[in-house]
Amino acid sequence: MPGKEFWNNRYGASEYAYGVEPNVFFRQELEKLSPGKLLLPAEGEGRNAVYAATRGWKVTCFDQSEMGRKKALQLAAEKGVEIDYRIASIDDFDTNEHFDAIGLVYVHLPSPLRSSFHNYMVELLNPDGRIILEAFSKEQLGRTSGGPQDLQLLYSIDELEDDFNELEDLSIEELEVDLMEGPFHEGKAMVLRLIANK
């Protein structure tokens, strides 16, 4: 799993690695909800956080990359919104807050960490809160359109069903999409899309 140095290097360029527009699925699902408190783990350069803030959400997000945070706050300033962006890794993020929605957009983790982190996200949801997740499926292995080239960091429907089995109205879909999210997410890709409610 790439560490802080990898992400600081990727986010250190002037160009936004994954663009400045929100992930399409995240945007579609967020538009169905009334604004409240939103958590975005591993938020990188802030495209989803800033979009959500422009829609009236109170956004908390985190990432291990200081360069990602810098560019996210720059993007937020350009859009005239505020986001609460913290420096933390998946391992050490901790909060007493609860959230009305949690967006997991391309947060790829090895198996034991993935399961425990997803369980923690369920704990942080308010009653009636919603998880919105998009990630690369195991079928993405070998494609050049984005994502880790490590089967252990790619997801299956079964894994996600197990992780979120406490939630209601669980919907998971595997499909091929045309990614146009900056230079590192471009082309036909196999993704999983999940929504579930507490």
Side-chain angles (χ1 to χ4, degrees):
M1 190 170 72
K4 179 186 290 193
E5 186 177 351
F6 173 90
W7 292 112
N8 275 334
N9 286 336
R10 174 157 292 187
Y11 298 147
S14 57
E15 186 175 12
Y16 279 72
Y18 303 104
V20 296
E21 296 301 319
N23 171 264
V24 170
F25 179 65
F26 172 76
R27 186 189 72 222
Q28 289 172 348
E29 292 303 316
L30 202 70
E31 287 174 356
K32 299 174 184 177
L33 304 176
S34 298
K37 290 179 65 177
L38 170 69
L39 177 66
L40 290 167
E43 175 53 8
E45 296 166 310
R47 62 194 179 108
N48 297 308
V50 170
Y51 169 77
T54 68
R55 308 298 292 177
W57 287 82
K58 183 183 178 187
V59 181
T60 299
C61 55
F62 70 91
D63 199 284
Q64 60 185 325
S65 169
E66 293 90 351
M67 292 305 299
R69 181 179 187 273
K70 180 180 177 182
K71 288 171 78 176
L73 295 179
Q74 177 183 318
L75 183 61
E78 289 171 7
K79 299 289 186 179
V81 296
E82 290 187 2
I83 57 175
D84 177 7
Y85 194 124
R86 306 172 190 179
I87 295 294
S89 70
I90 293 292
D91 301 272
D92 61 25
F93 176 74
D94 188 40
T95 182
N96 295 319
E97 297 175 81
H98 288 79
F99 300 90
D100 302 304
I102 297 175
L104 298 167
V105 181
Y106 299 112
V107 182
H108 287 273
L109 306 169
S111 184
L113 179 57
R114 184 206 75 238
S115 183
S116 63
F117 184 72
H118 286 167
N119 290 338
Y120 183 44
M121 294 298 99
V122 171
E123 287 177 25
L124 295 184
L125 275 182
N126 281 325
D128 298 322
R130 178 169 293 183
I131 295 274
I132 303 168
L133 179 150
E134 178 165 306
F136 291 110
S137 83
K138 294 189 185 296
E139 298 301 316
Q140 177 68 3
L141 193 68
R143 297 189 181 216
T144 59
S145 49
Q149 289 300 302
D150 179 347
L151 201 60
Q152 300 303 313
L153 295 175
L154 298 169
Y155 297 167
S156 70
I157 288 177
D158 288 346
E159 287 171 340
L160 294 181
E161 281 180 342
D162 285 345
D163 289 354
F164 295 107
N165 62 12
E166 291 180 43
L167 298 179
E168 299 178 352
D169 306 319
L170 179 63
S171 166
I172 309 177
E173 183 181 20
E174 183 173 27
L175 70 163
E176 186 176 60
V177 297
D178 282 307
L179 285 182
M180 290 182 290
E181 299 184 334
F184 291 99
H185 277 183
E186 195 167 18
K188 292 190 179 299
M190 293 299 296
V191 302
L192 294 168
R193 290 175 167 178
L194 174 150
I195 53 171
N197 301 317
K198 192 164 184 176

